[in-house]
């Protein structure tokens, strides 16, 4: 079913909207949650919360890119659950992803850094737009969706070691772009 028809079902408050959403995007959303949380039950909880959020948000929202909107919702819910449970030291997947990015993204702990968030976002957006489509897709799939390196290597048809080197070069490129813009690390 087309996204516009699924969204119309939400607007009509037809419960079939959730069924259609699960059928079309359930695997996509589940993969994001699993990549970040690595615990099946928690991923399923986030998936259910995603459907609940969609039901409560549409209407009044009418997402133009439904797949991306759902991906953002499930990612945010997964990160919230990860943060809640991280205090209990239950997850290693998200920690590994954040550790990889640690050298090129400044911490947002201070007031000054919070105020610079928009500037940082704009610099990262410009950097991403300057990448080739393949590099941009790799970076987003790894650091936004949390796709494991081995899975990405398999999808791109290259060895995990070669992909790890490529990801290292991308992170280095991001770091240099941030430094060039005067963003301290």
């Amino acid at each position: 079913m087309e996204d516009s028809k699924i969204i119309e079902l939400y607007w009509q408050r037809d419960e079939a909207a959730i069924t259609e959403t699960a059928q079309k995007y359930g695997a996509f959303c589940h993969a994001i949650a699993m990549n970040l949380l690595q615990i099946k039950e928690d991923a399923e909880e986030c998936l259910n919360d995603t459907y609940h959020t969609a039901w409560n948000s549409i209407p009044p929202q009418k997402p133009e890119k439904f797949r991306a909107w759902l991906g953002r919702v499930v990612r945010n819910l997964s990160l919230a659950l990860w943060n809640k449970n991280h205090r209990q030291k239950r997850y290693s997947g998200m920690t590994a992803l954040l550790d990889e990015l640690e050298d090129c993204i400044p911490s947002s702990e201070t007031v000054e850094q919070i105020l610079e968030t928009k500037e940082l976002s704009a610099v990262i957006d410009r950097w991403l737009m300057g990448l080739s489509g393949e590099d941009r897709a790799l970076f987003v799939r790894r650091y936004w969706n949390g796709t494991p390196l081995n899975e990405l290597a398999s999808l791109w048809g290259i060895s995990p070691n070669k992909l790890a080197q490529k990801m290292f070069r991308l992170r280095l490129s991001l770091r240099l772009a941030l430094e060039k813009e005067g963003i301290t690390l």
Side-chain angles (χ1 to χ4, degrees):
M1 180 178 281
E2 291 182 31
D3 290 353
S4 59
K5 292 184 181 192
I6 295 173
I7 291 171
E8 187 60 35
L9 289 174
Y10 280 105
W11 276 78
Q12 295 170 1
R13 307 313 290 163
D14 186 338
E15 291 182 14
I18 294 173
T19 304
E20 293 295 331
T21 301
Q23 189 172 9
K24 187 169 183 181
Y25 294 116
F28 167 71
C29 291
H30 188 266
I32 291 173
M34 277 299 295
N35 289 340
L36 297 175
L37 298 171
Q38 298 185 338
I39 296 176
K40 183 180 175 188
E41 293 79 11
D42 288 348
E44 289 170 3
E45 177 183 338
C46 283
L47 192 57
N48 288 331
D49 289 348
T50 299
Y51 301 142
H52 186 257
T53 299
W55 183 260
N56 289 332
S57 300
I58 307 171
Q61 293 185 32
K62 199 167 197 172
E64 289 183 34
K65 296 181 180 178
F66 191 49
R67 182 178 195 262
W69 185 86
L70 284 171
R72 187 183 73 223
V73 169
V74 72
R75 183 179 189 277
N76 289 343
L77 290 169
S78 297
L79 288 174
L81 183 59
W82 180 85
N83 283 329
K84 176 184 165 194
N85 292 326
H86 182 65
R87 291 175 227 130
Q88 299 169 3
K89 306 284 186 196
R90 290 178 59 194
Y91 298 105
S92 62
M94 193 62 199
T95 303
L97 290 175
L98 293 174
D99 286 346
E100 287 180 23
L101 285 172
E102 184 176 283
D103 292 338
C104 53
I105 302 293
S107 170
S108 61
E109 298 292 324
T110 67
V111 173
E112 293 83 14
Q113 290 169 332
I114 292 170
L115 295 175
E116 294 174 353
T117 299
K118 284 186 180 182
E119 180 185 348
L120 175 62
S121 178
V123 171
I124 292 172
D125 285 345
R126 284 193 303 273
W127 175 78
L128 280 170
M129 295 312 291
L131 296 176
S132 69
E134 178 181 297
D135 286 349
R136 185 172 42 250
L138 278 170
F139 193 86
V140 169
R141 290 191 73 170
R142 176 71 177 138
Y143 297 111
W144 179 262
N145 294 354
T147 306
L149 203 59
N150 288 339
E151 185 178 327
L152 282 175
S154 176
L155 287 170
W156 259 259
I158 59 178
S159 74
N161 286 340
K162 186 173 181 180
L163 182 60
Q165 290 172 354
K166 184 177 194 82
M167 298 309 291
F168 174 77
R169 286 191 302 272
L170 285 171
R171 290 191 309 272
L172 182 60
S173 170
L174 173 59
R175 182 181 185 153
L176 293 173
L178 291 172
E179 289 174 349
K180 182 179 176 184
E181 293 289 332
I183 297 175
T184 58
L185 305 177

